[in-house]
Amino acid sequence: MKFNRIVLYSFTLLIGIACENELEQLPETGILAENYYSTQENVESTVTATYNELQALYDYYMILWGEIPSDNAYIQAPNSNGGARPLEDFSWTSTSGFVGSIWENSYEGIFYANTVLSVIDDVLYDSESLKNIRIGEMKFIRGFLYDNLTTIYGDVPLVLTIDDPTYAFDDARTPKTEIYAQIEADLLDAIELLPSSNSAGRPNTYAARAILAKHYMKTRDFDKAEAQLQIIVSSGKYSLVDIDALFGVENEGNDEDVFSIQYASNLDGMSEGSEYYYMFTQPDDQGGLGAMAMESSLYELYAVGDLRKGLVTESSNVYYINKWTPSPNNSTDDGGDNHFVVRYADVLLLYAECLNENNKTAVAATYLNMVRNRANLDDTTASSQSDMRSAIAKERRLELAGEGHRWFDLLRTGKALETMNAFFQNDGSKITVEAYRLLSPLPQAEVDITKMEQNPGY
């Protein structure tokens, strides 16, 4: 698979950080060069490389994958859409670029995390506390990436060691149940190893609990999910901020940020920025890519007085989600906005969902109303479990629009086929979403050279 094929390439990039003498000491065919991993600095450079893969994942395709196949958004520009248009009409194939890109970036991140976990015990660190935090971070990222991979592709190869690339052709898919056990183990370890506060862009113990709760919800284990979310809510560490203080570079690091991917403008030759404003906000006729516009049916769901309507901009009868900041320079891919992977409103709505599924509907309303009231809306009128379930799903759609959650929410709740086929029917479209589309195909390049079988339908 590409993970193994890119090992030597990735490692070559990694060791380029080291000095020339260290580079000369490396064996030509070695994957794990012990001479390189002799200092804390060397390991820390690999930790940084792991976070770089999260940046690459969430700079574009992961957001589009969470929005475009859903009833939230569509690609407005007819041509300049980065090859993502098949997401809109469910016509993607095993050779679609984003199918391979998400796979590649994910497995590169797993490679780097595995590398750190393989060597760090033998490296002298300034403190054992810092070493344990790094182990927790790598287990968090590995568990997080495998949770994404299983949602998108289903069964995938479970790789926990640094493999010799000569065995690349032996890769096979691991049953999801086995991967789920590893995800849970990694995230439980991360919860124990991570501090309650960490540096910006690095997970803390509450971020690990949030990702683990989402994983439990995917497997319909609402009791375990509720327990994890309850710890976050009762910690008092997070709170909802005013809508106008939530997004934008000037508001980064606010009290709603549970875990976010970091980007920055004017740094390292403008290589650390994001493309969100250019791709997802600006109208196509004003210099933007037009890769994500809001469906008018979603805009119409916002009630009069809902403060979140102020985060939507209309241009020539097209609606754009306006949660991002323009680049401070003339580079369209150097915006400074971080991306919320988890924010507190997400946690509250997930908690409400778990409470409702666990027959605590009246209590669930309390947490749903916190999000509604922040948006200047009255308390929910939902009282039955069924009505509360619908109310929470609607609120998540309104609250998290454009942030890459909707398609994954539809998958998690089993509503994807029902919702999208009704959407296309109401829209007068001839598109019918078939069940096999609930999973992406595996990248064809991986299937061709390994023992992996392609997902049905592709």
Side-chain angles (χ1 to χ4, degrees):
M1 70 183 181
K2 187 159 287 187
F3 164 72
N4 282 319
R5 297 203 309 277
I6 64 171
V7 164
L8 291 179
Y9 170 72
S10 299
F11 193 74
T12 300
L13 292 179
L14 176 62
I15 61 179
I17 304 171
C19 69
E20 184 176 350
N21 288 338
E22 289 176 312
L23 182 61
E24 291 172 351
Q25 294 173 4
L26 295 175
E28 292 182 3
T29 60
I31 296 175
L32 199 56
E34 294 179 0
N35 289 335
Y36 179 74
Y37 289 107
S38 59
T39 68
Q40 175 178 321
E41 180 182 5
N42 299 151
V43 178
E44 288 292 297
S45 68
T46 313
V47 170
T48 299
T50 313
Y51 284 100
N52 287 344
E53 295 305 325
L54 293 185
Q55 278 189 326
L57 266 175
Y58 279 88
D59 189 36
Y60 188 50
Y61 285 132
M62 282 298 291
I63 311 302
L64 289 183
W65 196 283
E67 298 291 333
I68 299 300
S70 80
D71 49 353
N72 270 10
Y74 65 97
I75 293 174
Q76 182 259 335
N79 298 311
S80 57
N81 55 67
R85 182 167 292 282
L87 284 169
E88 185 177 339
D89 58 10
F90 290 82
S91 63
W92 57 75
T93 70
S94 59
T95 59
S96 295
F98 51 84
V99 170
S101 293
I102 292 174
W103 179 282
E104 179 177 337
N105 287 133
S106 297
Y107 273 108
E108 285 186 0
I110 289 167
F111 162 70
Y112 288 129
N114 285 341
T115 301
V116 173
L117 292 171
S118 295
V119 304
I120 194 168
D121 283 340
D122 297 324
V123 176
L124 180 64
Y125 255 63
D126 291 343
S127 72
E128 284 300 305
S129 174
L130 179 59
K131 178 183 285 190
N132 285 333
I133 289 171
R134 293 296 183 258
I135 294 171
E137 290 174 8
M138 296 301 98
K139 290 196 171 189
F140 170 90
I141 291 175
R142 187 170 68 182
F144 173 53
L145 290 175
Y146 271 120
D147 190 53
N148 279 345
L149 284 167
T150 52
T151 299
I152 295 171
Y153 302 99
D155 296 346
V156 296
L158 177 62
V159 184
L160 302 176
T161 60
I162 307 304
D163 288 356
D164 187 320
T166 59
Y167 296 105
F169 298 117
D170 293 333
D171 295 321
R173 303 175 73 173
T174 305
K176 284 191 299 183
T177 52
E178 185 177 334
I179 303 174
Y180 287 172
Q182 185 62 48
I183 292 168
E184 181 180 34
D186 276 346
L187 293 174
L188 285 172
D189 284 349
I191 288 169
E192 295 302 316
L193 292 165
L194 291 171
S196 58
S197 295
N198 206 348
S199 303
R202 296 178 184 265
N204 60 25
T205 185
Y206 300 112
R209 290 187 187 278
I211 298 301
L212 181 57
K214 289 193 176 193
H215 174 70
Y216 284 146
M217 293 176 76
K218 184 170 78 172
T219 63
R220 310 296 291 175
D221 195 335
F222 293 106
D223 287 332
K224 286 185 177 180
E226 179 188 329
Q228 295 297 332
L229 294 165
Q230 193 275 332
I231 292 172
I232 302 172
V233 172
S234 64
S235 72
K237 184 175 177 62
Y238 303 100
S239 61
L240 297 175
V241 302
D242 292 342
I243 293 292
D244 60 4
L246 181 54
F247 298 102
V249 174
E250 71 278 9
N251 294 317
E252 290 177 352
N254 59 57
D255 288 342
E256 197 160 330
D257 188 350
V258 179
F259 179 62
S260 58
I261 308 296
Q262 304 290 292
Y263 299 93
S265 301
N266 296 320
L267 189 66
D268 293 341
M270 297 189 293
S271 65
E272 299 295 324
S274 72
E275 301 177 85
Y276 299 140
Y277 181 83
Y278 170 64
M279 290 188 173
F280 302 156
T281 304
Q282 281 185 301
D284 184 51
D285 59 0
Q286 295 180 25
L289 190 61
M292 189 169 75
M294 176 182 280
E295 293 284 357
S296 59
S297 57
L298 171 56
Y299 182 76
E300 291 163 3
L301 283 182
Y302 288 99
V304 174
D306 190 328
L307 297 177
R308 295 169 299 197
K309 291 184 77 171
L311 299 173
V312 183
T313 301
E314 186 272 336
S315 176
S316 302
N317 295 317
V318 179
Y319 298 99
Y320 293 89
I321 302 165
N322 190 20
K323 294 182 175 180
W324 302 287
T325 310
S327 301
N329 49 61
N330 59 6
S331 177
T332 55
D333 60 356
D334 194 41
D337 292 287
N338 296 337
H339 171 70
F340 287 114
V341 174
V342 183
R343 58 183 175 93
Y344 193 51
D346 183 13
V347 169
L348 291 173
L349 293 171
L350 291 172
Y351 190 39
E353 185 175 333
C354 288
L355 290 166
N356 187 53
E357 296 300 329
N358 290 333
N359 300 307
K360 304 171 186 176
T361 299
V363 183
T366 301
Y367 298 97
L368 170 59
N369 288 335
M370 290 173 66
V371 178
R372 288 179 58 83
N373 295 164
R374 193 263 297 268
N376 195 39
L377 299 179
D378 293 335
D379 289 352
T380 183
T381 58
S383 57
S384 70
Q385 185 181 52
S386 177
D387 287 348
M388 182 62 69
R389 187 178 293 127
S390 298
I392 293 168
K394 178 181 177 181
E395 204 63 36
R396 286 187 61 80
R397 189 180 176 199
L398 295 169
E399 176 67 28
L400 302 170
E403 298 177 51
H405 292 270
R406 177 62 172 171
W407 177 243
F408 297 106
D409 279 353
L410 291 174
L411 291 174
R412 174 174 55 78
T413 58
K415 295 289 187 180
L417 290 178
E418 172 189 338
T419 299
M420 292 313 300
N421 283 323
F423 170 79
F424 286 127
Q425 184 177 13
N426 293 337
D427 200 41
S429 171
K430 295 182 180 180
I431 297 172
T432 299
V433 184
E434 298 183 58
Y436 77 88
R437 290 287 183 185
L438 300 181
L439 288 178
S440 164
L442 303 189
Q444 192 60 42
E446 311 302 331
V447 175
D448 288 343
I449 67 164
T450 67
K451 295 179 178 180
M452 293 188 291
E453 293 185 5
Q454 184 57 272
N455 278 329
Y458 297 103

